Amino acid sequence: MVQLVAERVQSLAVGGVKELPEQFIRPAHERPENSKAVEGVTVPVISLSQPHEVVVQEVAKACEEWGFFLLTDHGISPALVRRLQEVGEVFFGLRQEEKEAYANDAASGKFEGYGTRMTKNHDEKVEWIDYFFHFMAPPSKVNHGVWPKNPPAYREVTEEYNKEMLRITDTLLELLSEGLGLEGKALKTVLGGEEIEVEMKINFYPPCPQPQLALGVEPHTDMSALTLLVPNDVPGLQVSKDGNWFAVNYLPNALFIHVGDQLEVLSNGKYKSVLHRSLVNKERTRMSWAVFVVPPQETTIGPLAKLVDDQNPAKYSTKTFADYRYRKFNKLPQ
Ligand code: OGA
Ligand code: NI
């Protein structure tokens, strides 16, 4: 059997490649140089320290208009975020052989671990990124055996960060429920309650020799209910609104909150799953820690009954999350 060994983007970059290999060169209309972000407009920034009613209203508005906002005063200690970033940086700084011990193998269903997308056919373009993916919650889904063992603090730091992600998820789902005129527990309950799943994806974008021709992540919406992301200080994330791209500036200590597909469906389109992409940098490595909050696979997700009536018919079909994922991965209609 032929074992396909992924060529890591980091290895290409470390090797000092001067010209972007052709599988990374985007078609002209997708290139950052031909689809520039609108200047002078900034994304919503929402402080959790405001009165509850104000936060409910601001979060609902941001999720209706953008599907995206920056959350501040969330109570996560900057020192914890710094430690999370440090253990991720140390992992990606390990020798290549050591990282390869964690290689994922999507073909055999092993999605957790160290990964790089490979082209399936000659025309397909790939992104300038390596990543590390694993579950953080619930405990029954977590396999510590696939988490980085080096640096040794990885597990402790990540478990502490996970607690904060669960806390902020509860807060956000409560605010978003109230924004829909529902009782605070409504969204968490339909997303699986305490079985709600939390996934960590560390995105690693090495310096790119021709960043104007490449993308770190191509335009997509997240399949999650919510995505809570922290980047390092290298900008690159862009979000789309009304057909235009907007750059998201780095804001220290803010959480970058994305509405994902499941919340768009549950809210029957009131909240928008944000289309986003990331650009890469010529000199510096960009990293981001994306936390995806998803329902368990067999959870049935559709527009909430309370939001649907004769005047407001369901705009989305109802199906299990597993079915949704299968269709999205295989580019089938939902
Ligand atoms: C993702 C993503 C953007 C970023 O991981 O789904 O969109 O800023 N990442 O790294
Ligand atoms: Ni995304």
Side-chain angles (χ1 to χ4, degrees):
M1 215 177 92
V2 183
Q3 172 78 37
L4 286 178
V5 179
E7 161 108 79
R8 304 299 176 190
V9 175
Q10 186 176 9
S11 308
L12 274 174
V14 169
V17 67
K18 290 279 181 308
E19 258 183 51
L20 193 63
E22 77 57 52
Q23 72 268 28
F24 296 99
I25 302 178
R26 313 302 306 193
H29 70 277
E30 276 189 24
R31 294 177 195 166
E33 60 183 358
N34 295 327
S35 55
K36 291 208 169 85
V38 175
E39 287 184 27
V41 181
T42 52
V43 300
V45 180
I46 303 177
S47 163
L48 260 189
S49 68
Q50 304 173 95
H52 182 75
E53 286 315 313
V54 176
V55 183
V56 169
Q57 192 258 324
E58 288 190 2
V59 166
K61 184 164 187 280
C63 293
E64 286 167 34
E65 292 178 359
W66 290 83
F68 183 86
F69 62 93
L70 304 183
L71 185 69
T72 62
D73 303 311
H74 42 62
I76 303 176
S77 104
L80 175 59
V81 176
R82 190 62 232 132
R83 283 198 294 149
L84 177 82
Q85 295 182 326
E86 260 165 33
V87 292
E89 286 159 10
V90 171
F91 176 79
F92 278 93
L94 297 175
R95 285 179 309 117
Q96 202 53 38
E97 303 89 89
E98 195 169 345
K99 293 195 287 272
E100 296 299 343
Y102 299 88
N104 68 5
D105 184 7
S108 67
K110 185 179 175 287
F111 291 102
E112 290 183 287
Y114 177 52
T116 304
R117 292 252 209 99
M118 285 178 285
T119 46
K120 289 195 215 80
N121 59 54
H122 197 65
D123 297 335
E124 199 181 33
K125 297 299 171 189
V126 283
E127 303 160 319
W128 188 260
I129 185 175
D130 297 327
Y131 62 87
F132 200 103
F133 175 79
H134 64 74
F135 281 100
M136 291 203 294
S140 61
K141 289 288 249 171
V142 175
N143 176 4
H144 289 117
V146 301
W147 291 24
K149 284 170 198 57
N150 195 359
Y154 184 90
R155 176 168 167 176
E156 181 206 324
V157 171
T158 303
E159 285 180 336
E160 202 176 325
Y161 191 69
N162 174 56
K163 286 192 195 131
E164 293 291 59
M165 293 295 98
L166 288 169
R167 178 176 66 79
I168 302 292
T169 295
D170 281 2
T171 302
L172 289 173
L173 290 177
E174 190 178 323
L175 293 163
L176 287 160
S177 298
E178 291 180 26
L180 293 169
L182 304 172
E183 54 104 15
K185 294 209 163 22
L187 284 170
K188 174 90 183 270
T189 303
V190 294
L191 287 165
E194 295 314 301
E195 293 304 306
I196 199 165
E197 297 180 4
V198 184
E199 305 165 345
M200 167 63 81
K201 184 172 169 236
I202 308 176
N203 295 311
F204 185 88
Y205 309 95
C208 177
Q210 294 176 290
Q212 70 285 6
L213 303 180
L215 288 174
V217 177
E218 60 190 34
H220 69 285
T221 60
D222 291 349
M223 255 183 291
S224 57
L226 283 173
T227 304
L228 289 58
L229 179 145
V230 287
N232 68 356
D233 62 354
V234 180
L237 179 66
Q238 298 190 339
V239 296
S240 170
K241 180 174 180 286
D242 306 325
N244 292 307
W245 289 109
F246 298 87
V248 182
N249 295 329
Y250 173 64
L251 182 64
N253 301 322
L255 279 179
F256 291 34
I257 310 296
H258 307 57
V259 171
D261 297 346
Q262 305 314 306
L263 263 186
E264 178 170 321
V265 171
L266 287 166
S267 68
N268 200 29
K270 182 166 152 107
Y271 298 145
K272 200 171 109 227
S273 184
V274 62
L275 183 70
H276 55 286
R277 67 179 186 179
S278 70
L279 310 192
V280 290
N281 190 280
K282 193 167 167 79
E283 274 84 36
R284 298 187 61 198
T285 295
R286 177 163 190 270
M287 288 182 75
S288 70
W289 287 257
V291 170
F292 301 109
V293 176
V294 303
Q297 293 288 316
E298 293 314 317
T299 313
T300 300
I301 302 286
L304 290 170
K306 288 198 173 133
L307 305 179
V308 174
D309 58 26
D310 289 346
Q311 273 72 53
N312 303 287
K315 295 184 188 149
Y316 305 85
S317 67
T318 296
K319 60 174 76 71
T320 63
F321 182 55
D323 194 9
Y324 190 96
R325 280 180 82 117
Y326 176 83
R327 287 163 188 265
K328 185 141 176 164
F329 276 129
N330 292 290
K331 300 191 165 66
L332 300 169
Q334 292 291 345

